[in-house]
Amino acid sequence: MRLNSRLFIVAAFLLLTVSVRAWLNTSVPVPLRRPLIEYPEKVGDWNMIASAKLSDDVSGVLKADDYMLRQYRQDSSGKVIDMFVAYYKTQAAGESMHSPKNCLPGSGWTPVVNDRVFLKNDERGQPVEVNRYVIENGGERALVLYWYQENGRIIASEYWGKFYLVWDAMKTRRRDGAIVRLLIPLHKSDNTQETLESALQFARASTNDLPAFLPN
C-alpha cells in the first residue's frame, strides 16, 4: 500500500506540473498600445539622428513582435545614445527576451563594470534600479543601461522578471514584456560619472514616454 501511495503522489505531482505548464502556455497575446515606429523623435533634450533595422539573422534570433533601434543626440553635450526596445506579445519557450548579459560577451564585448544604479522612485516612493554595464572591446568602451518592463513594472533582475512572468501568467494569462537597452560610447576624454548622469536623464525621460506604447 505504501508503494501505491507513493506512485499516486508522484503521478499526481506530474499531472499537476503538466497542467500548470499547459495553463501557462495558453497565454493571451497582448498587443502594443501603439507601434514603436511612432515613438517620439525627441526624448527629453535628446533628438533622433538615425533609425536602423536589424539583419534578418539577428531578427530571426530575437523573435520580437516589434522592436525599435535608434540613435539620439543631446545637443548641449554632443553625446550620442543608442536606444533599443524589443517587445513580445507573449513569451513562450525559445521566445523570451535575450539578456545583454549573455548577448554582449557573445559579440566580443567584455564587461568591466556590472552593477545596478538608481533610476527613480516609483509611484509608491520605492526606489527603482536598472542594470549598468561598462563594456570594452579592442580599446573601445561603452556604457550600457538596460531593464525589463512587464505589466507596468520596471525590473532590473532577470530572476524577478521570470518570477513576475509566471505570476502574471497564473493571474491574468499575460506573458507580454519588453526589454529596453541604452548604450553610450565612452571616449578617453569623457567623465564617466557625467556620462552616466546623461544616460540616466535619457532613461528617466524614456520611462515617461514608454507607457504610451507598452501595455500596463
Side-chain angles (χ1 to χ4, degrees):
M1 290 292 293
R2 182 173 299 176
L3 180 60
N4 289 339
S5 297
R6 290 178 179 174
L7 289 174
F8 175 79
I9 292 173
V10 170
F13 177 78
L14 290 174
L15 179 61
L16 178 62
T17 301
V18 171
S19 299
V20 170
R21 182 169 294 180
W23 168 258
L24 294 179
N25 285 334
T26 57
S27 57
V28 178
V30 182
L32 284 166
R33 289 180 165 181
R34 293 168 58 188
L36 291 174
I37 195 173
E38 297 179 5
Y39 194 78
E41 296 185 3
K42 184 175 179 62
V43 178
D45 61 345
W46 300 69
N47 295 295
M48 188 183 82
I49 58 173
S51 178
K53 293 288 186 181
L54 298 173
S55 67
D56 291 341
D57 290 343
V58 174
S59 181
V61 172
L62 186 67
K63 295 182 179 179
D65 292 293
D66 196 5
Y67 74 89
M68 178 185 71
L69 180 58
R70 292 183 177 180
Q71 278 191 337
Y72 289 81
R73 181 171 58 206
Q74 188 180 40
D75 292 336
S76 60
S77 67
K79 294 184 183 299
V80 174
I81 192 166
D82 292 345
M83 181 180 189
F84 173 71
V85 182
Y87 177 72
Y88 297 81
K89 296 178 183 177
T90 184
Q91 299 173 72
E95 297 180 355
S96 59
M97 292 176 274
H98 294 265
S99 168
K101 185 183 294 185
N102 301 319
C103 298
L104 291 172
S107 302
W109 292 94
T110 300
V112 294
V113 175
N114 174 15
D115 58 10
R116 290 178 186 154
V117 291
F118 172 79
L119 179 65
K120 63 179 184 179
N121 290 320
D122 63 17
E123 295 176 352
R124 298 173 297 172
Q126 298 299 312
V128 175
E129 293 184 324
V130 296
N131 297 292
R132 170 178 60 174
Y133 266 58
V134 174
I135 54 177
E136 189 173 67
N137 184 5
E140 295 183 6
R141 288 163 61 93
L143 168 69
V144 176
L145 300 180
Y146 77 92
W147 65 91
Y148 303 95
Q149 289 202 204
E150 295 177 2
N151 210 351
R153 308 181 191 93
I154 296 175
I155 305 168
S157 167
E158 280 86 0
Y159 300 106
W160 277 108
K162 295 294 185 184
F163 170 81
Y164 283 122
L165 187 65
V166 174
W167 177 259
D168 290 338
M170 295 178 64
K171 286 186 64 179
T172 62
R173 298 180 64 195
R174 287 179 55 176
R175 290 173 64 93
D176 54 288
I179 182 168
V180 184
R181 190 211 67 196
L182 309 176
L183 183 149
I184 299 185
L186 283 172
H187 306 289
K188 291 183 179 180
S189 59
D190 288 343
N191 182 300
T192 304
Q193 187 59 36
E194 289 181 359
T195 302
L196 174 61
E197 289 302 322
S198 294
L200 287 171
Q201 289 174 10
F202 184 95
R204 293 181 187 114
S206 67
T207 58
N208 293 330
D209 294 327
L210 284 169
F213 298 83
L214 305 179
N216 286 336

